[in-house]
Amino acid sequence: MGLQRAELVVPAATEYLELVGDFVSFMARRAGFADEEVARIRLAADEAAANVVLHVTARGVEEAFRVVCEEAADALTIRVQDAGEPFDLGAVPIPNLDAPLEKRNVGGLGIYLIRRVMDSVEIRPTAGGKELVLVKQRPGAAGETHGG
Amino acid sequence: MEVEISGTDTVAVAAVSGRIDAYTAPDVEEQLQAAVSDGRHLVVDLTATDYVSSAGLRVLLTLAKRSARGDFQMRLSGLQEAVREVFDIAGFSRLFEVRDTPAEALAELSGS
């Protein structure tokens, strides 16, 4: 089979996060990623989806959101799409990993983890809201980064 | 996700199995907080925990902050490779005392 695109639409509720993770893991494995990379991609998708659920819940509405996985020759792209407003990723504070325990912030880790395990992370406006676009280079693809 | 509490009169050993994500984290937090509510020290054994997201890290950080205030002593044990990687990325490895086995952590806290 050739390059595939698949999408999953689920209610914005935390109980569906495991399903999102299973879906993304399946697609990452299909794209040829090794187990430890599949685990990292799953973590990023879970954090992105959890972020959507958190904000939908905070708005007090019931909504669904969409997770799209797209294989390309050189990369796997995961789009987490919802009806929320785009926000400035650059404005999300970076946790101070050197801070002593009492000064470590309890929040703010999700986006940081995503940035650390994916090759690129962007937020784009869509017709109905926004999408968080996560890209991971496929094994052996030109431009693959290591140790990021 | 399940939390099984065992231990001694002075140390609670909470074995968490499965996933600690945004769905399960509130339940994990409630059970871990309950485990230390009687003044016991705490070992969180993650031997059977195959996934920890930032929601899980938050639960452990909240407990560690309580521990640092002197409420109780805390150890983690049995981190799987994938979980250890998340700890390393998040800079958590330096915030926690991590032991290979719950027995080792329990023995250490039993003496204190």
Side-chain angles (χ1 to χ4, degrees):
Chain A
M1 286 218 290
L3 301 172
Q4 291 291 315
R5 179 183 191 279
E7 45 181 81
L8 175 74
V9 179
V10 291
T14 54
E15 65 180 307
Y16 289 92
L17 292 174
E18 186 169 5
L19 180 60
V20 168
D22 286 347
F23 167 64
V24 169
S25 297
F26 177 88
M27 293 303 289
R29 214 170 279 120
R30 191 187 179 285
F33 289 98
D35 287 351
E36 62 268 25
E37 288 287 33
V38 171
R40 291 177 190 128
I41 294 166
R42 180 185 187 129
L43 172 70
D46 179 47
E47 294 291 350
N51 202 47
V52 166
V53 171
L54 182 75
H55 287 98
V56 170
T57 306
R59 295 208 309 275
V61 292
E62 285 188 19
E63 279 177 11
F65 68 105
R66 181 184 307 264
V67 182
V68 182
C69 290
E70 294 167 348
E71 281 180 36
D74 61 344
L76 177 69
T77 299
I78 298 156
R79 303 173 186 276
V80 180
Q81 304 172 327
D82 77 306
E85 294 284 317
F87 61 92
D88 180 7
L89 266 181
V92 178
I94 296 166
N96 180 2
L97 305 191
D98 295 323
L101 183 58
E102 61 273 16
K103 295 211 167 117
R104 278 298 296 261
N105 266 326
V106 178
L109 277 166
I111 296 287
Y112 178 75
L113 290 177
I114 296 172
R115 284 185 184 284
R116 286 291 305 272
V117 298
M118 298 304 281
D119 291 322
S120 86
V121 183
E122 280 179 47
I123 284 195
R124 295 180 191 150
T126 60
K130 70 162 189 301
E131 63 176 4
L132 191 63
V133 184
L134 316 175
V135 179
K136 189 80 175 177
Q137 299 297 318
R138 288 175 74 160
E144 185 179 359
T145 55
H146 291 280
Chain B
M1 186 286 305
E2 277 180 32
V3 181
E4 197 180 311
I5 308 284
S6 60
T8 65
D9 288 347
T10 56
V11 185
V13 178
V16 185
S17 58
R19 305 162 44 78
I20 314 180
D21 63 6
Y23 179 52
T24 60
D27 193 20
V28 174
E29 176 154 34
E30 191 181 324
Q31 297 198 54
L32 295 183
Q33 296 282 4
V36 293
S37 62
D38 55 4
R40 287 194 288 176
H41 299 311
L42 178 66
V43 176
V44 182
D45 179 35
L46 299 174
T47 303
T49 301
D50 42 37
Y51 179 77
V52 175
S53 78
S54 64
L57 294 178
R58 275 196 291 280
V59 170
L60 295 172
L61 185 58
T62 302
L63 278 160
K65 282 174 178 271
R66 271 192 65 189
S67 168
R69 289 199 300 268
D71 294 0
F72 55 89
Q73 292 195 55
M74 180 175 172
R75 299 283 185 275
L76 304 182
S77 64
L79 273 62
Q80 294 185 20
E81 195 50 45
V83 173
R84 186 174 290 275
E85 184 182 15
V86 174
F87 266 66
D88 286 344
I89 295 172
F92 269 45
S93 300
R94 76 194 70 169
L95 299 179
F96 290 89
E97 299 279 348
V98 182
R99 301 293 175 261
D100 288 341
T101 64
E104 199 180 328
L106 174 63
E108 217 176 286
L109 292 183
S110 296
S112 55

